[in-house]
Amino acid sequence: MIGKPQHIPASTYRLQLRPGFGFRQAQEIVPYLNSLGITDCYISPILAPRPGSSHGYDVCDHNRLNPELGSREDFDRFCETLQKHSMGLVLDFVPNHMGVDPQANLPWRSVLENGPSSPFACFFDIDWNPVKDELKDKVLLPVLDNQYGNVLEAGKLQILIEGGGFSLQYYDHNFPLNPRQSRLILTHNIEALRELLGEESPDLRELLSIIFHLEHIPAFVETAPEMVAARDREKAIAAERLSALTATSTPIREHIESNVRAYNGTPGDSQSFDLLHQLLDLQAYRLSYWTTAVHEINYRRFFDINELAGIRMEDPMVFEATHALLRELTRQKLVTGLRLDHVDGLFNPKQYFADLQQHCAPDEAPLYVLVEKILSLGENLRSDWDIHGTTGYEFLNDIVGLFVDPVRSPALHRLYVRFSGRSGRFADLVYESKKLIVATSMASELNVLAHELNRISESDRRYRDFTLDSLQEGLREVVACFPVYRSYVTAEGHDSFDERAVDAAVSDALRRNPALEPSMFAFIRAMLLPQRTPGLSESEYERHVRFAMKFQQYTGPVQAKGVEDTVFYRYAPLSSLNEVGGDPVRFGRTVEEFHKVNRQRKEQWPLSMLSSSTHDTKRGEDTRSRISALSEIPDDFRAALFRWARSNAGLKKSVDGNPSPDRADEYLYYQTLLGAWPNGIAELPPAGFVERMRNYMLKAIKEEKVHSSWIHPHPEYDDAVCEFVRRTLTGVEGKRFLRTFLPFQQRVAQVGLVNSLAQLVLKAVSPGVPDIYQGTEFWDLTLVDPDNRRPVDFSARTAILNRLQPLLQCTASAEHFESELQTMTANWSNGEIKLFCTAAVLNLRRRLRDLFLFGDYIPLETRGECSEHVVALGRQHGSTAVLALVPRLCARFVTPEKPFPIGREIWCDTEVFLAEQFQRRRYRNLFTGAWVQPDEALILGHEWSKFPYCLLVTEN
């Protein structure tokens, strides 16, 4: 970890900017965020993306703000307002990839126009010498909605005249045409023009001169710097000349327009498209059906998204060109921190972080930097990175586990197997799903790796007998068995983590494939952990290292697509555990385990982010808390589940001879419905909620890839699932189902409420920097994106927060405090109680920021009959101390009459014993306003007589 940054947030609030909610709207809510207790606004990407982008991760220009969010002046005013409220700005920055809109991304357009001869050819991770010979020096563009020939002969590809050049239009895509080959359009039917104008015509002579000029422009395969410069210069001159000529000569303009019509062909006349086909074959790109990307795409993508191309941040020129505006914003202190997206996609993350710090903060304390990094079980964040932590998925999974009852894990797993009929081991599902991803949506990248590995083997007599097919199969198995997102081998070497990861993958691959040649796996291991050995030249070593580093960029996307976007929809005994970076097999955490990871974070990464909801989570934090409650009542859930299934059996359609949805999808549906059901709805839900559930289930079955998928949809099954959702939530059939569903759902919601507020308090007092995802200061009953990116009603939140100010500022009388608390708890479903708790803890953190950022973390011992239902800890810094006490696993205490478990009749004689530094001090409970001065212990039945959460604060 790098040293203490220039600016340290005490808390952050994530805002999803979008068209309609840009810099001006963000500026307007800064006073609200300030009242909430937020110290830093944390915003989604703001650099210019593809026009109309709803998320901003498809950046097309790193050095221009997104005009759909506002002007530079709007942004500066937003920053000025933040600074007036002493708030920082954390920016989400995307270093791994760019959106490849062929008009908005000018470097990409240059590559399409000029191929390897483009000045920007080094920007993108393109294989110019791919497996398929026909793609040599070309970029495959899998953008067509049908086979190329069908699209061509339907007249969907049309040449447009643009000034002094030509382009190709396909729906809303506009592609450049190779200027050198555009002379073919100009020369077509040239004899007729000669006869019309005569040989001595100045216009004809100028046209012929332009054609000669174009013919002698360097070809797009030329990569020598002087040839690249000449091509760039001469094509611009030729375009200027042609533009001037067509503006003054009607015959020339009409000649060109006529030729364009001829090239564009006539639907129904196949031969009329021969000219256009010949022209397109001469371009630096090859248009293809979008499914072709599975096997032949030759540029690195973000995961399997064709519209997002990987960029080569390891190239100093690319780094400089993409960080100019970021350097300006950070050095001017307008941006005070960065969140870096998908850092495992970078060629050399460690070097990138060092370059970034030098670029943004060369002469002073480092910039606050967090990385989106998924840590697998047992994996630690690398201590040699110049960053301050992660975006907090490891905390999210630890806090979820704290509210899952591990004792009842076997019962829930038995229920899932019995109901769904799916009994496979989770590890085997991961293996099978990753192999599926490798064989389908990400096959092309493996093809590239396998061919490079084959070329390496052919150059060494010890390994040349390995066939391409065997190496490809061996790589596929190692990737499917890789236990973490990636290793981090560089030319500087590798460490024990890299060795353990590679060895585990190779060992598992050998175990699963005893018929494959073991020596081939030994060769693969040697290439993934390259070493300088006697007789190995430096160039050969560098080639091995490059292969290993390219392999590392591949395993992460396969892990994400295979596990998070496949297995997590296939395997869901308790879907709240199926979260980014989660391990569904690890069923629950003990209080001791929670304290242990908190203390480790305090020692190693004290400024890491603490997240519970993000724009990438599979479920909102309160949706998740409700589902976790099922772990406490598996027997009741079993009875309800089979009752619902019997009630709804007649609502299923038969698809391929089977009732649809299948039982596993039905199981996931009921869990999702329990988690996301709107508060306050005791009858048929509104149409908007039905649509949300329909969209979620449609996404779930396609991600699951059992009956349907994005690549190969099964319309009949898709329709059956959507119809099942509709019929269970609407009309007479819906009323019948909801009569049995809603009482159980209400119980789950009440237990989830207790879990959610306890989670909130623990997030606020744990070591790290808590993040509040937009809108989650009310109940967050959202699902996976885009459901979790819906607009937030800040005006309603502002009005309630203003009303609560006397409580938050400690100016309310005891009677007023008690009355407001009673009202909020009685009306818990409206979310005001969560807003109050959120504002209370965040304002406390801001006021005592040194305590929470740097203070000691001390677990407290609990004793008594209900001690397992309590989490207790202390924080101390100097003479200031805070004690936090929250309940857990409280389903047996929650009743419809008592949604909040409080009082001695519940907690009995349970006590929290205080470390000496916390004894005999006077504390105020932040949530009730009550004062207490304990000796050696706190008696919970007394302290929780009004509210089941205590945040006791004493100050000097």
Side-chain angles (χ1 to χ4, degrees):
M1 181 182 70
I2 200 169
K4 187 180 295 187
Q6 308 164 21
H7 172 84
I8 305 175
S11 62
T12 59
Y13 190 98
R14 170 72 178 210
L15 282 177
Q16 293 294 118
L17 303 185
R18 63 185 188 283
F21 191 92
F23 302 133
R24 291 185 181 182
Q25 291 78 16
Q27 179 189 0
E28 291 171 0
I29 68 166
V30 168
Y32 163 75
L33 299 181
N34 183 59
S35 296
L36 193 62
I38 296 296
T39 68
D40 286 67
C41 191
Y42 162 36
I43 58 175
S44 56
I46 62 173
L47 303 183
R50 174 187 58 80
S53 173
S54 62
H55 49 76
Y57 286 94
D58 44 359
V59 177
C60 289
D61 187 344
H62 284 86
N63 293 311
R64 186 167 60 93
L65 296 179
N66 182 356
E68 296 181 17
L69 301 181
S71 66
R72 177 57 191 265
E73 292 72 24
D74 294 329
F75 175 74
D76 288 343
R77 283 193 290 269
F78 169 49
C79 294
E80 181 181 353
T81 303
L82 287 171
Q83 291 169 350
K84 285 181 179 177
H85 289 82
S86 300
M87 295 173 67
L89 180 62
V90 178
L91 174 63
D92 195 339
F93 184 74
V94 187
N96 171 69
H97 54 269
M98 294 182 75
V100 287
D101 184 287
Q103 287 178 280
N105 189 329
L106 297 183
W108 181 253
R109 189 172 184 84
S110 173
V111 169
L112 299 184
E113 182 181 24
N114 303 294
S117 188
S118 167
F120 298 97
C122 66
F123 253 61
F124 303 96
D125 217 343
I126 300 170
D127 182 7
W128 293 110
N129 189 27
V131 176
K132 190 168 183 174
D133 290 339
E134 290 82 356
L135 288 175
K136 181 175 174 56
D137 294 321
K138 295 190 175 190
V139 179
L140 183 75
L141 294 183
V143 298
L144 305 181
D145 63 358
N146 205 322
Q147 297 290 338
Y148 164 76
N150 295 335
V151 172
L152 177 75
E153 295 182 13
K156 295 180 180 180
L157 301 173
Q158 295 285 291
I159 295 175
L160 300 181
I161 303 171
E162 293 189 337
F166 303 91
S167 66
L168 185 73
Q169 194 74 24
Y170 173 68
Y171 291 117
D172 58 348
H173 296 283
N174 181 275
F175 304 101
L177 289 176
N178 180 355
R180 192 169 191 260
Q181 303 304 335
S182 65
R183 72 184 191 279
L184 298 179
I185 301 173
L186 303 180
T187 57
H188 181 68
N189 208 18
I190 193 74
E191 294 306 318
L193 185 64
R194 289 178 187 272
E195 292 181 10
L196 175 66
L197 297 180
E199 290 290 346
E200 301 303 316
S201 166
D203 290 347
L204 176 63
R205 296 173 67 180
E206 173 64 2
L207 178 62
L208 294 175
S209 175
I210 292 171
I211 292 170
F212 181 84
H213 190 161
L214 291 171
E215 188 174 2
H216 290 82
I217 289 175
F220 67 69
V221 296
E222 301 286 354
T223 58
E226 62 276 11
M227 301 297 278
V228 171
R231 178 182 172 89
D232 199 46
R233 179 183 64 250
E234 296 304 323
K235 67 183 181 65
I237 294 172
E240 291 173 4
R241 292 176 63 190
L242 185 60
S243 178
L245 178 60
T246 56
T248 59
S249 174
T250 299
I252 297 295
R253 184 171 63 252
E254 291 177 346
H255 165 76
I256 295 173
E257 291 171 348
S258 174
N259 287 352
V260 166
R261 286 193 295 273
Y263 266 78
N264 283 338
T266 303
D269 181 358
S270 178
Q271 289 186 338
S272 69
F273 292 96
D274 290 350
L275 290 172
L276 181 56
H277 170 64
Q278 293 164 9
L279 179 65
L280 294 182
D281 255 2
L282 298 173
Q283 304 307 308
Y285 54 85
R286 178 170 175 160
L287 297 172
S288 71
Y289 189 23
W290 68 270
T291 60
T292 309
V294 169
H295 294 287
E296 293 185 354
I297 198 165
N298 61 329
Y299 59 87
R300 182 173 63 87
R301 299 166 291 172
F302 171 69
F303 293 1
D304 58 351
I305 303 175
N306 299 338
E307 294 78 15
L308 298 176
I311 50 178
R312 301 182 61 252
M313 280 299 181
E314 64 271 21
D315 187 308
M317 190 273 279
V318 178
F319 182 93
E320 289 292 329
T322 54
H323 286 69
L325 178 57
L326 185 64
R327 174 171 54 189
E328 175 190 335
L329 298 179
T330 53
R331 292 193 180 185
Q332 291 179 357
K333 305 296 190 294
L334 299 178
V335 170
T336 57
L338 292 176
R339 179 260 195 194
L340 301 176
D341 181 67
H342 188 51
V343 297
D344 273 345
L346 295 170
F347 188 68
N348 187 344
K350 177 184 175 181
Q351 185 61 53
Y352 174 79
F353 303 143
D355 293 343
L356 183 70
Q357 291 289 357
Q358 179 61 33
H359 189 79
C360 295
D363 303 316
E364 47 191 317
L367 186 69
Y368 181 63
V369 174
L370 300 172
V371 297
E372 185 204 29
K373 164 64 187 162
I374 310 302
L375 297 171
S376 302
L377 184 63
E379 180 182 1
N380 295 316
L381 190 60
R382 300 181 76 86
S383 59
D384 58 349
W385 286 357
D386 289 346
I387 61 172
H388 296 97
T390 72
T391 52
Y393 289 122
E394 60 277 9
F395 173 83
L396 182 154
N397 286 288
D398 286 328
I399 198 76
V400 168
L402 191 61
F403 296 95
V404 170
D405 189 351
V407 174
R408 293 171 172 81
S409 168
L412 204 54
H413 278 90
R414 286 193 299 270
L415 170 60
Y416 179 70
V417 171
R418 179 185 170 191
F419 187 89
S420 71
R422 296 186 183 178
S423 57
R425 291 176 60 247
F426 181 75
D428 292 336
L429 288 174
V430 169
Y431 168 75
E432 293 162 5
S433 297
K434 290 174 69 173
K435 283 189 70 172
L436 175 66
I437 296 300
V438 170
T440 55
S441 61
M442 299 196 67
S444 59
E445 290 86 346
L446 186 79
N447 292 340
V448 172
L449 288 170
H451 277 76
E452 175 59 15
L453 188 61
N454 184 59
R455 287 190 283 264
I456 292 174
S457 72
E458 288 291 345
S459 66
D460 191 318
R461 64 189 182 210
R462 295 170 298 173
Y463 306 123
R464 73 177 190 179
D465 287 345
F466 295 136
T467 65
L468 171 61
D469 287 345
S470 68
L471 290 173
Q472 187 153 358
E473 186 174 2
L475 278 177
R476 183 184 303 115
E477 292 299 321
V478 172
V479 170
C481 295
F482 217 75
V484 293
Y485 272 69
R486 63 168 285 175
S487 51
Y488 296 93
V489 173
T490 68
E492 298 174 358
H494 54 267
D495 61 15
S496 58
F497 168 82
D498 302 319
E499 289 187 8
R500 287 194 303 271
V502 172
D503 285 342
V506 170
S507 175
D508 196 20
L510 271 170
R511 179 183 63 81
R512 292 180 181 275
N513 299 273
L516 292 181
E517 174 58 46
S519 63
M520 184 260 296
F521 283 109
F523 170 61
I524 291 175
R525 181 192 184 278
M527 294 304 100
L528 298 182
L529 297 169
Q531 294 182 337
R532 288 183 171 89
T533 56
L536 186 71
S537 69
E538 188 62 21
S539 63
E540 289 174 319
Y541 173 71
E542 291 174 356
R543 186 177 187 182
H544 295 179
V545 168
R546 179 167 179 80
F547 172 80
M549 295 178 75
K550 297 301 293 182
F551 175 87
Q552 292 171 159
Q553 289 180 292
Y554 181 61
T555 55
V558 172
Q559 179 85 352
K561 297 300 295 181
V563 179
E564 293 170 17
D565 290 345
T566 305
V567 180
F568 279 5
Y569 292 95
R570 292 185 173 189
Y571 177 90
L574 190 68
S575 59
S576 59
L577 299 178
N578 296 19
E579 200 45 86
V580 180
D583 181 4
V585 176
R586 189 180 180 192
F587 205 91
R589 307 282 196 280
T590 66
V591 175
E592 291 72 22
E593 288 173 324
F594 179 73
H595 287 317
K596 180 180 178 181
V597 295
N598 267 353
R599 297 180 86 168
Q600 288 174 341
R601 189 183 318 104
K602 166 71 177 61
E603 295 302 318
Q604 299 170 5
W605 299 98
L607 304 181
S608 194
M609 185 175 279
L610 309 178
S611 296
S612 48
S613 286
T614 78
H615 60 286
D616 281 332
T617 43
K618 303 297 184 183
R619 292 159 189 84
E621 59 193 51
D622 301 317
T623 305
R624 205 183 305 122
S625 290
R626 288 180 174 183
I627 295 171
S628 292
L630 299 176
S631 72
E632 301 183 59
I633 51 174
D635 293 340
D636 295 342
F637 179 47
R638 181 183 66 248
L641 186 65
F642 281 99
R643 184 164 59 248
W644 302 335
R646 288 191 298 270
S647 172
N648 293 330
L651 307 185
K652 294 186 175 185
K653 289 184 176 180
S654 178
V655 178
D656 300 330
N658 297 305
S660 302
D662 73 12
R663 297 275 280 197
D665 292 339
E666 187 179 5
Y667 184 97
L668 178 63
Y669 171 61
Y670 292 137
Q671 282 200 23
T672 305
L673 204 58
L674 287 169
W677 187 266
N679 285 326
I681 302 295
E683 51 189 13
L684 292 176
F689 178 76
V690 178
E691 183 67 10
R692 287 175 56 209
M693 290 302 301
R694 174 192 174 279
N695 291 340
Y696 173 80
M697 287 305 299
L698 194 58
K699 180 168 184 173
I701 61 176
K702 289 185 177 297
E703 296 285 17
E704 181 188 25
K705 307 172 188 69
V706 173
H707 300 286
S708 187
S709 70
W710 300 112
I711 297 176
H712 300 295
H714 189 333
E716 292 81 9
Y717 190 82
D718 296 348
D719 291 344
V721 171
C722 292
E723 183 67 4
F724 182 77
V725 171
R726 186 191 67 79
R727 295 180 71 181
T728 57
L729 298 180
T730 63
V732 175
E733 295 156 330
K735 289 180 179 179
R736 184 182 66 238
F737 163 58
L738 294 177
R739 274 196 298 270
T740 61
F741 173 80
L742 287 174
F744 187 80
Q745 190 281 328
Q746 183 68 8
R747 182 184 179 193
V748 169
Q750 291 175 330
V751 179
L753 151 72
V754 178
N755 293 346
S756 292
L757 295 185
Q759 173 179 274
L760 170 63
V761 175
L762 291 176
K763 184 168 76 168
V765 300
S766 292
V769 179
D771 174 58
I772 307 299
Y773 183 67
Q774 64 172 30
T776 60
E777 60 272 33
F778 273 11
W779 300 121
D780 179 23
L781 303 175
T782 57
L783 299 168
V784 71
D785 73 284
D787 190 71
N788 58 13
R789 306 190 194 201
R790 290 174 296 146
V792 175
D793 184 352
F794 286 105
S795 60
R797 288 161 172 78
T798 300
I800 296 169
L801 188 59
N802 289 340
R803 198 196 78 225
L804 296 175
Q805 284 307 309
L807 277 64
L808 298 171
Q809 297 175 10
C810 304
T811 59
S813 65
E815 294 78 11
H816 179 63
F817 209 118
E818 183 171 352
S819 174
E820 283 280 3
L821 189 61
Q822 288 178 348
T823 299
M824 287 188 290
T825 54
N827 299 294
W828 61 268
S829 64
N830 64 18
E832 290 186 14
I833 187 64
K834 189 180 182 189
L835 177 61
F836 165 67
C837 291
T838 302
V841 297
L842 293 179
N843 276 280
L844 180 68
R845 277 194 68 97
R846 181 170 58 187
R847 184 158 51 88
L848 304 180
R849 61 188 302 148
D850 285 350
L851 177 141
F852 288 107
L853 290 171
F854 307 113
D856 295 333
Y857 180 91
I858 304 167
L860 300 178
E861 180 186 0
T862 59
R863 296 180 192 171
E865 185 178 339
C866 297
S867 61
E868 65 177 355
H869 299 287
V870 180
V871 184
L873 61 94
R875 301 297 308 271
Q876 182 184 26
H877 186 263
S879 60
T880 305
V882 169
L883 303 176
L885 317 171
V886 301
R888 67 184 287 260
L889 305 182
C890 294
R892 66 182 177 128
F893 302 142
V894 175
T895 66
E897 297 76 27
K898 289 187 176 180
F900 284 92
I902 56 177
R904 181 176 293 278
E905 68 274 16
I906 294 174
W907 303 111
C908 306
D909 61 345
T910 301
E911 295 180 290
V912 176
F913 287 82
L914 304 181
E916 185 174 352
Q917 62 266 46
F918 298 125
Q919 296 176 11
R920 300 173 184 86
R921 305 182 68 173
R922 193 163 184 257
Y923 297 89
R924 180 180 180 274
N925 188 341
L926 194 69
F927 299 129
T928 66
W931 291 89
V932 62
Q933 189 166 346
D935 292 325
E936 297 180 353
L938 287 163
I939 302 173
L940 293 188
H942 172 69
E943 300 308 327
W944 286 353
S945 60
K946 293 187 175 74
F947 197 54
Y949 312 91
C950 288
L951 199 53
L952 304 179
V953 184
T954 183
E955 300 178 56
N956 183 18

